[in-house]
Amino acid sequence: MGGASLLSALACGVSSSSIGAPPHSFLCPTPNRRRKSRRKVRCAPITAQFELKPPPYPLDSLEPHMSRETLEHHWGRHHRGHVDSLNARIAGTQLEEMELEDVVVASYNKGSPLPPFVHAAQVWNHDFFWRSMEPGGGGKPSGELMGLIERDFGSFERMLKEFKEAASTQFGSGWAWLAYKANRLDVGNAVNPCPSEKDNKLVIAKTPNAVNPLVWDYSPLLAVDVWEVCDFSFLFFLSFFVFFFLKLYSGWQRACTDLPLMFRCKFVLFVQHAYYLDYENRRADYVSIFMEKLVSWDIVSSRLHIATARAAERAREDERRRREDDVEITNREAVEMYVDSDNDSEPE
Amino acid sequence: MGFHLLSPSYCCGYQPSPPISHGLLRFRPVTGIPKPSPKGQLHQSRRASKVLAYYGITTPPYKLDALEPYMSQRTLELHWGKHHRDYVDSLNKQLVKSPLYGHTMEELIKVTYNNGNPLPEFNNAAQVWNHDFFWESMQSGGGKLPQGGVLQQIEKDFDSYSNFRDTFVESAMALFGSGWVWLVLRTEEKKLSVVRTSNAICPLVWGDIPIIALDMWEHAYYLDYKDDREKYINTFMDNLVSWHAATVRMLRAEAFVNLGEPKIPVA
């Protein structure tokens, strides 16, 4: 049944997109929640599919820091593969009706992930990652974001250092995140005793494989992909530079024949060592380049804005609910006091 | 008794070995005698020299281009020369500061696994052992069918070799993230089984005996196969896996696990 609906959706083709887009997608144009439902008069079943969204810049615009080949491969094959697998797995299940973020949290299943989780999470993570970069990015953040960074980490440099360390120490595959954490207790009727904006803070987190901080109810602001695939792409890029310099050096070596042989050998060895970058350093360098040249602080600031608004909204909700509960308790207490005073007068 | 902590530079951490015979697992903690330093620590080191064991990198039992065209020389240069070497170096650095020394590699893995709460040294130690095991699980001209006792045991526990092969390939394809796929001899159940582990975990921590390993970290196949993992796994099974090594390991394992009724000769 699920398979048939998927096939019919594919058969219906792309042209129906103009007919089929539901009105709510225009009201809520947040980047992470776009989805399409396609409907054609002849095809009876309605199917909703997640689509592979392209990065918001041409694939060669991040050169020379991230090559077009890398993006074509990483986005065009890995990311696309996850989208296709996700659509196949959720077809016909109740996850099909949900938004991507809800699919991620639902399929995480509080720590016992269901099969669609890895695909849903990787689709979301990669969307988030492409959008965290921009051509000509880097530099420093400003405004509210910078203020919070300095409040929670001491300085921008310290935040960078912690971020790089998180990315480097993530063993195996995973992601490193900068997230906004609204400190809310998730235990029944407990409330944060003095809720204020000061209790919410920026944190750095690292997650294995496909996990992302949405499952802990954080608001992610920035992500960097530290699966080995990314390190390898970076190594290819850097190796071209080193080959170029090696070629220059060999020309120079022929010219300076009076240098002692020992020094020349040491220099060559040194360059070869630089070519075989340490695994740890390579990932650290990749993250450095990402932070210096690729990251889009504008997007991060706008995400922070949304996150703080969301946290404030929740705080107001909690406050309102608490006031309502207080009123209810006060009313109830009056009745109980009346009952208690009756009991108290009786001898034990 | 005095205790003199040696800096790693005095220990012979690297011992490239002569080509070793196929399939033999060797755990060689490297002991180093401190050389006298020019700074006059000679007197101290003679008086109170405590030999600490550090680990060295073992060379694969074949030349780095011997597995072409199935695993390129470039992959081996990076995988063995960089990644494996880095694990050894990191482990040695960690051991300088920790009280764990004097173990064989297998013991170190079990100790640092700490029953499921791994200590920081676990990842490096396990990866060093895993990679040693992996190089020895391959040979040039490998693949094809297992021989003799291994084939019999596979047919007994998986019904047929092709069943086993399908299970192995499926298990490897289903692995998400970084990890390893193993053919292990389970000591409790006394049978062969295919096991898939994440990151650095290896079946030694459960007391099982590994027979064959396949590295499914991206660095193992990405240069040669990009994201075509199925091709990599099939190539491993058809052209690389060393059933000779598997036979030797099975023979050794039979000394620890009773796989069948002993044949008592009738006088």
Side-chain angles (χ1 to χ4, degrees):
Chain A
M1 178 193 68
S5 63
L6 188 63
L7 279 174
S8 61
L10 289 170
C12 287
V14 185
S15 56
S16 59
S17 57
S18 53
I19 317 164
H24 72 255
S25 67
F26 294 105
L27 292 174
C28 316
T30 44
N32 297 323
R33 290 178 50 209
R34 271 176 48 204
R35 59 190 281 134
K36 272 194 183 164
S37 50
R38 296 191 186 136
R39 189 185 205 149
K40 240 192 178 173
V41 175
R42 269 175 301 145
C43 310
I46 303 168
T47 57
Q49 286 189 346
F50 293 107
E51 49 180 29
L52 176 69
K53 295 194 285 291
Y57 37 75
L59 294 186
D60 57 0
S61 56
L62 298 182
E63 303 255 11
H65 313 294
M66 199 175 270
S67 66
R68 185 176 55 88
E69 285 81 21
T70 301
L71 276 168
E72 275 175 0
H73 216 78
H74 199 172
W75 171 74
R77 296 200 60 165
H78 288 270
H79 191 179
R80 190 185 297 273
H82 281 299
V83 172
D84 295 340
S85 307
L86 176 64
N87 286 331
R89 283 194 191 267
I90 63 172
T93 68
Q94 65 194 26
L95 291 172
E96 206 179 0
E97 309 296 320
M98 300 159 79
E99 297 293 334
L100 185 57
E101 289 188 10
D102 299 330
V103 175
V104 171
V105 175
S107 55
Y108 186 65
N109 201 18
K110 299 201 167 79
S112 312
L114 307 172
F117 172 73
V118 296
H119 302 295
Q122 285 291 75
V123 171
W124 190 92
N125 293 345
H126 281 96
D127 275 344
F128 194 83
F129 179 51
W130 304 134
R131 265 153 239 292
S132 301
M133 296 192 283
E134 65 178 359
K140 285 192 174 188
S142 57
E144 191 189 355
L145 177 59
M146 191 57 155
L148 269 184
I149 287 178
E150 283 176 349
R151 185 196 78 175
D152 293 327
F153 294 100
S155 70
F156 180 66
E157 283 71 29
R158 271 200 64 189
M159 189 277 283
L160 272 188
K161 188 159 157 276
E162 263 191 55
F163 192 74
K164 277 182 214 171
E165 206 185 303
S168 307
T169 53
Q170 175 49 45
F171 188 68
S173 317
W175 299 77
W177 306 84
L178 175 67
Y180 183 70
K181 177 179 173 188
N183 275 325
R184 300 169 77 242
L185 299 169
D186 188 25
V187 187
N189 57 357
V191 290
N192 194 336
C194 307
S196 79
E197 189 42 43
K198 290 209 194 81
D199 296 315
N200 302 337
K201 57 183 182 168
L202 292 178
V203 290
I204 297 216
K206 62 185 184 201
T207 57
N209 293 353
V211 181
N212 63 37
L214 288 177
V215 306
W216 306 318
D217 205 30
Y218 292 9
S219 306
L221 303 177
L222 179 63
V224 70
D225 185 346
V226 291
W227 279 61
E228 284 187 315
V229 165
C230 282
D231 293 341
F232 265 100
S233 316
F234 180 69
L235 176 63
F236 289 143
F237 142 69
L238 213 50
S239 64
F240 291 133
F241 273 108
V242 181
F243 271 133
F244 179 63
F245 282 121
L246 267 177
K247 281 203 156 141
L248 275 185
Y249 168 69
S250 59
W252 179 69
Q253 191 184 23
R254 275 195 294 276
C256 304
T257 48
D258 57 340
L259 270 180
L261 186 62
M262 199 173 73
F263 283 110
R264 279 184 286 169
C265 286
K266 276 201 175 144
F267 187 77
V268 170
L269 280 173
F270 169 77
V271 173
Q272 281 187 340
H273 175 72
Y275 172 50
Y276 280 106
L277 298 167
D278 280 352
Y279 180 74
E280 294 301 309
N281 285 347
R282 188 175 73 223
R283 190 183 272 187
D285 289 343
Y286 155 62
V287 177
S288 299
I289 296 272
F290 173 82
M291 292 301 266
E292 285 164 24
K293 303 276 188 334
L294 288 171
V295 68
S296 162
W297 290 115
D298 290 333
I299 295 277
V300 179
S301 293
S302 67
R303 286 168 179 162
L304 177 67
H305 197 64
I306 297 173
T308 43
R310 181 169 163 250
E313 176 62 39
R314 279 189 180 177
R316 278 197 293 275
E317 271 289 314
D318 282 349
E319 188 58 37
R320 191 176 53 79
R321 206 175 301 131
R322 204 162 49 128
R323 249 184 264 121
E324 278 177 7
D325 285 347
D326 277 346
V327 167
E328 207 182 298
I329 288 169
T330 323
N331 286 341
R332 225 185 302 137
E333 268 178 19
V335 174
E336 280 180 13
M337 271 167 56
Y338 177 71
V339 170
D340 275 346
S341 61
D342 265 351
N343 284 342
D344 279 345
S345 62
E346 287 174 12
E348 291 288 323
Chain B
M1 245 189 1
F3 176 81
H4 179 64
L5 186 64
L6 306 166
S7 71
S9 57
Y10 293 132
C11 279
C12 13
Y14 301 111
Q15 243 193 27
S17 58
I20 60 174
S21 56
H22 265 315
L24 283 178
L25 285 173
R26 299 187 301 135
F27 308 103
R28 301 180 297 123
V30 173
T31 56
I33 310 295
K35 293 198 185 83
S37 105
K39 290 191 187 139
Q41 283 177 338
L42 172 63
H43 183 59
Q44 276 180 328
S45 55
R46 269 193 191 154
R47 201 171 19 125
S49 62
K50 188 168 175 113
V51 172
L52 301 181
Y54 289 90
Y55 300 92
I57 188 165
T58 53
T59 333
Y62 35 74
K63 290 218 183 86
L64 294 187
D65 58 358
L67 300 181
E68 297 263 13
Y70 309 111
M71 192 174 273
S72 63
Q73 181 182 0
R74 183 87 197 101
T75 298
L76 276 168
E77 278 172 2
L78 267 180
H79 196 177
W80 171 73
K82 256 325 288 130
H83 290 276
H84 190 181
R85 198 181 290 275
D86 279 343
Y87 286 127
V88 174
D89 292 343
S90 312
L91 177 64
N92 286 336
K93 270 188 226 153
Q94 282 177 319
L95 290 178
V96 171
K97 304 181 207 99
S98 93
L100 296 163
Y101 52 82
H103 296 291
T104 61
M105 196 56 89
E106 277 188 348
E107 286 170 2
L108 184 66
I109 291 175
K110 287 194 186 135
V111 164
T112 49
Y113 184 64
N114 200 17
N115 282 319
N117 297 308
L119 307 175
E121 294 85 2
F122 173 74
N123 283 336
N124 288 321
Q127 282 292 78
V128 171
W129 190 91
N130 291 345
H131 280 93
D132 276 343
F133 194 84
F134 179 50
W135 305 134
E136 290 165 2
S137 300
M138 294 194 288
Q139 65 175 87
S140 66
K144 305 179 195 64
L145 284 182
Q147 311 122 3
V150 177
L151 182 60
Q152 269 178 23
Q153 194 65 33
I154 286 179
E155 286 181 342
K156 186 162 153 223
D157 296 326
F158 292 96
D159 291 333
S160 71
Y161 171 74
S162 52
N163 247 8
F164 151 70
R165 193 183 184 288
D166 292 340
T167 315
F168 194 88
V169 173
E170 221 177 278
S171 193
M173 286 301 291
L175 176 73
F176 185 70
S178 310
W180 298 76
V181 189
W182 308 81
L183 172 63
V184 282
L185 181 63
R186 288 199 193 258
T187 39
E188 294 282 313
E189 295 151 37
K190 301 193 199 325
K191 55 192 288 212
L192 287 175
S193 139
V194 170
V195 159
R196 169 173 85 217
T197 60
S198 278
N199 289 356
I201 311 260
C202 79
L204 290 179
V205 305
W206 304 308
D208 292 332
I209 303 178
I211 307 290
I212 288 286
L214 175 58
D215 189 352
M216 289 302 293
W217 282 61
E218 279 169 336
H219 63 233
Y221 60 85
Y222 201 72
L223 279 178
D224 295 330
Y225 299 94
K226 295 284 181 314
D227 55 345
D228 194 352
R229 297 195 304 167
E230 196 166 6
K231 192 162 166 223
Y232 165 61
I233 302 160
N234 282 313
T235 310
F236 175 80
M237 291 304 282
D238 292 333
N239 302 104
L240 285 173
V241 66
S242 169
W243 290 118
H244 179 83
T247 310
V248 174
R249 289 162 180 166
M250 234 0 223
L251 282 175
R252 184 174 174 268
E254 280 172 16
F256 297 90
V257 178
N258 186 7
L259 286 175
E261 286 301 316
K263 289 195 180 59
I264 303 171
V266 178

